Amino acid sequence: MLEFQQRATPEDLKIVASIERKRQIEEARKLRIFNPRVRKIGIDKEFLDKQVEEKKQQREWERTKECQLDEVLIRSNEHAVHLERRQEEERRRINKEVESYRQVHQRAEDRRDYDLYDPEALKKSLPARVDDNGDDPSLGAASAQKCRNAAEERRNDEILRLYRFEGEDRNLAERLKAQREQMRWWIQRQKEEREAAEKARRDAEDAYQEVVLSRDKRAMTLTRMEEECRRRLNEATATFNRALAEEQQHRRHCEAVQDEEDKKAEIYNHVTGDFLTEAREQAESTRGPCKPLADRYKGMTADELKVFRDAQLQQMEEIHVSISSTVEFVQYLKQSITSAHFKYSLAVMYPLTTINFNVRKLLSKSSFQKIKLEEKRINEDWDHLMDSHLQTAYSYECELNQRKSELNKKIAEENLRLAEQQKQHQEYLNRIVYKTQPTAAFYEQFNKGTR
């Protein structure tokens, strides 16, 4: 017999490793699935522990990151403080250089307007005037007063040279004389100007008066035109009002005539209506011609009264005939009774009340015979009608009962058919579908594997 040495190839090792790996996965799956705690509660403790560990690592990483951020923030603050200090020192140095430059190159006495606020200006200034003869170099155009116009400047050329500032006048008498001359000339000019202004004012007033007069005339003309227009408008309004009043009066007359016609028509309708004319049709009832409505019945007509009176006369004749026959019968009885014994027996056997009752009976029998016949006929009609209604109701009830019995019969047949069909289906299930009953071994084969 040949013996072969078994050697495992790399492919075999791979297959074995794959099978072993699947077997281990299956065992781990069995531990998870067939563990009642894990299966019922549904908790994977290893996965939860892994999540807890990951959360701890996440918190630690966040704490480390926050510490790093704090350190970076502290270093940034220190660097910012250092830069701010350097900027402050640079600003102080620049201000110091600017101040030293101003003290050397921008002094107050080097400015152009320094003479305006020089504290030693009075010490350095000269006297205001040296001479009044016109040889003073300090006197210029600003030393004289300005004239009002060129003519005055030419006329007062000599006077202008005498005007000087207050406290510097050395020719006071000549200057006052020249001022008086100038004052007289000014007054004359003012007088002429005032006269011219007065004349202009009078001319303006005259023109204004003319304008006012023309305006008043125009206003009067407009007033007359307005009054004429108002008068015509009032006339037109009065004409319209008269026409409107006539129209309203005509309309009221027409309404009154129409109202009168309506009233007459209403009276005529009431007079010829069913209520006052006592029409027989309004008292008719659905119960029959002999049973009118009591609240609308106004009595019998002439024809009905005639028929009723004829019937009464006929009844009276019948009663008269019956009374006559009764009287004759009584007289006959009186004539036939001759003996006292017969009178006694008649008084005992037939009292007077009995005779009177028989008489009344004979009298009423003929008068109420027709009424009884009519009542009998009406009762027979009602009985016939009730019998017909009962017969119709009975036939309809019989028809309903027959239909109901037929319907119940159909329902019973359908129920029997369905019961038979259900029975056959149940027999089919028991004999064919559920032929083999499962045993305990059938149920024990489950929950042995994870697949």
Side-chain angles (χ1 to χ4, degrees):
M1 185 176 182
L2 298 176
E3 293 181 0
F4 297 95
Q5 187 177 1
Q6 295 181 357
R7 294 182 179 179
T9 61
E11 289 77 5
D12 295 337
L13 295 177
K14 288 182 180 180
I15 293 172
V16 171
S18 176
I19 293 172
E20 186 64 23
R21 185 176 65 255
K22 290 182 179 180
R23 186 180 292 110
Q24 292 178 0
I25 293 172
E26 185 69 18
E27 292 296 330
R29 183 180 174 85
K30 285 182 180 180
L31 292 176
R32 289 197 307 272
I33 292 176
F34 295 109
N35 188 0
R37 180 180 180 85
V38 176
R39 187 177 67 252
K40 292 181 180 180
I41 301 176
I43 296 176
D44 191 355
K45 189 174 183 303
E46 295 180 358
F47 183 73
L48 294 178
D49 295 338
K50 184 177 179 181
Q51 286 184 345
V52 171
E53 187 65 25
E54 289 178 355
K55 288 184 179 180
K56 288 182 180 180
Q57 293 178 0
Q58 182 70 18
R59 293 194 191 96
E60 187 67 25
W61 179 78
E62 290 178 357
R63 191 180 300 107
T64 305
K65 188 174 181 180
E66 288 179 358
C67 293
Q68 293 177 359
L69 292 175
D70 293 338
E71 293 177 359
V72 171
L73 182 61
I74 292 171
R75 287 197 298 271
S76 299
N77 291 334
E78 292 178 354
H79 184 64
V81 170
H82 179 68
L83 292 177
E84 187 177 358
R85 190 181 300 109
R86 288 182 58 183
Q87 289 179 359
E88 187 67 26
E89 292 177 356
E90 185 69 20
R91 191 181 301 108
R92 191 180 299 108
R93 185 183 62 79
I94 291 172
N95 292 334
K96 187 176 180 181
E97 291 179 356
V98 170
E99 186 66 25
S100 61
Y101 178 80
R102 287 176 180 175
Q103 291 179 1
V104 175
H105 301 285
Q106 294 181 350
R107 295 181 300 174
E109 54 269 16
D110 294 339
R111 297 177 183 175
R112 291 182 299 176
D113 54 352
Y114 178 72
D115 56 342
L116 298 178
Y117 53 88
D118 188 4
E120 297 181 356
L122 295 177
K123 297 179 181 179
K124 298 177 182 179
S125 64
L126 297 175
R129 294 178 60 185
V130 179
D131 190 7
D132 292 336
N133 296 325
D135 297 332
D136 193 354
S138 61
L139 297 177
S143 300
Q145 294 183 356
K146 290 184 178 180
C147 297
R148 297 179 64 180
N149 50 37
E152 293 179 359
E153 185 176 359
R154 289 193 301 270
R155 182 175 178 275
N156 299 322
D157 188 21
E158 296 295 333
I159 299 173
L160 289 174
R161 288 198 300 266
L162 300 177
Y163 280 88
R164 298 292 182 270
F165 292 104
E166 186 178 0
E168 300 178 355
D169 193 2
R170 297 184 179 183
N171 299 320
L172 181 60
E174 296 178 1
R175 184 179 60 79
L176 292 176
K177 183 179 179 180
Q179 287 180 351
R180 283 193 292 270
E181 290 292 335
Q182 188 178 12
M183 187 65 67
R184 282 194 297 271
W185 184 78
W186 283 351
I187 291 172
Q188 185 65 27
R189 288 294 304 274
Q190 290 177 1
K191 184 178 179 181
E192 293 175 357
E193 290 177 359
R194 190 178 294 109
E195 291 176 355
E198 185 67 21
K199 183 179 179 181
R201 185 182 63 79
R202 286 195 300 269
D203 295 339
E205 288 181 356
D206 295 339
Y208 178 73
Q209 291 295 332
E210 292 179 359
V211 171
V212 170
L213 290 174
S214 63
R215 186 179 60 188
D216 293 341
K217 290 179 181 179
R218 180 63 178 170
M220 292 175 65
T221 304
L222 293 175
T223 303
R224 286 195 299 271
M225 293 174 63
E226 185 179 0
E227 290 177 355
E228 183 67 20
C229 183
R230 188 179 293 108
R231 183 181 61 79
R232 293 180 180 179
L233 182 61
N234 292 333
E235 290 178 357
T237 304
T239 304
F240 176 76
N241 290 334
R242 284 195 297 271
L244 185 61
E246 292 176 358
E247 183 181 356
Q248 290 179 355
Q249 185 177 2
H250 179 68
R251 186 173 64 253
R252 284 195 293 268
H253 177 69
C254 293
E255 290 177 356
V257 172
Q258 184 66 29
D259 191 12
E260 188 68 23
E261 293 293 334
D262 294 340
K263 290 180 180 178
K264 290 180 180 180
E266 185 178 2
I267 293 171
Y268 177 77
N269 292 331
H270 281 296
V271 170
T272 59
D274 295 337
F275 183 75
L276 295 180
T277 56
E278 298 180 356
R280 182 179 178 82
E281 290 78 8
Q282 66 175 351
E284 292 181 355
S285 175
T286 57
R287 295 179 295 178
C290 298
K291 294 183 179 181
L293 298 176
D295 57 340
R296 299 182 183 179
Y297 185 68
K298 300 298 182 179
M300 294 185 293
T301 61
D303 297 336
E304 292 177 350
L305 289 173
K306 184 178 180 181
V307 173
F308 182 74
R309 289 192 179 96
D310 293 340
Q312 284 182 344
L313 292 174
Q314 185 178 0
Q315 289 178 2
M316 289 173 67
E317 290 177 358
E318 292 176 357
I319 292 170
H320 181 68
V321 171
S322 62
I323 290 172
S324 300
S325 61
T326 304
V327 170
E328 291 177 357
F329 178 72
V330 171
Q331 289 178 359
Y332 174 75
L333 289 176
K334 286 181 180 181
Q335 291 176 3
S336 61
I337 297 172
T338 55
S339 62
H341 178 72
F342 183 77
K343 291 181 181 179
Y344 177 76
S345 61
L346 183 63
V348 173
M349 296 177 65
Y350 300 99
L352 184 60
T353 56
T354 306
I355 295 172
N356 294 332
F357 176 75
N358 292 329
V359 171
R360 287 196 301 270
K361 186 175 181 181
L362 291 173
L363 294 175
S364 61
K365 183 177 180 181
S366 60
S367 61
F368 292 105
Q369 186 176 4
K370 292 184 178 181
I371 297 173
K372 289 182 179 180
L373 292 174
E374 185 68 20
E375 290 180 356
K376 184 178 180 181
R377 185 182 62 79
I378 293 172
N379 292 330
E380 289 177 356
D381 293 340
W382 275 104
D383 293 339
H384 180 69
L385 181 63
M386 293 298 294
D387 292 339
S388 63
H389 287 177
L390 289 174
Q391 187 176 2
T392 304
Y394 180 73
S395 62
Y396 182 70
E397 185 178 2
C398 292
E399 185 179 357
L400 289 178
N401 293 330
Q402 185 178 0
R403 291 180 181 178
K404 187 175 180 181
S405 61
E406 292 178 357
L407 181 62
N408 292 332
K409 185 177 180 181
K410 290 181 180 180
I411 292 172
E413 292 176 356
E414 183 68 19
N415 290 334
L416 290 174
R417 187 181 63 80
L418 292 175
E420 186 66 24
Q421 185 178 358
Q422 181 69 19
K423 184 177 179 181
Q424 293 177 2
H425 181 68
Q426 189 66 32
E427 290 178 357
Y428 170 76
L429 293 177
N430 294 331
R431 287 188 292 103
I432 297 175
V433 178
Y434 303 132
K435 183 177 181 180
T436 304
Q437 295 293 333
T439 59
F442 174 76
Y443 295 104
E444 290 178 356
Q445 67 179 344
F446 299 104
N447 292 332
K448 296 295 184 180
T450 59
R451 303 296 176 183

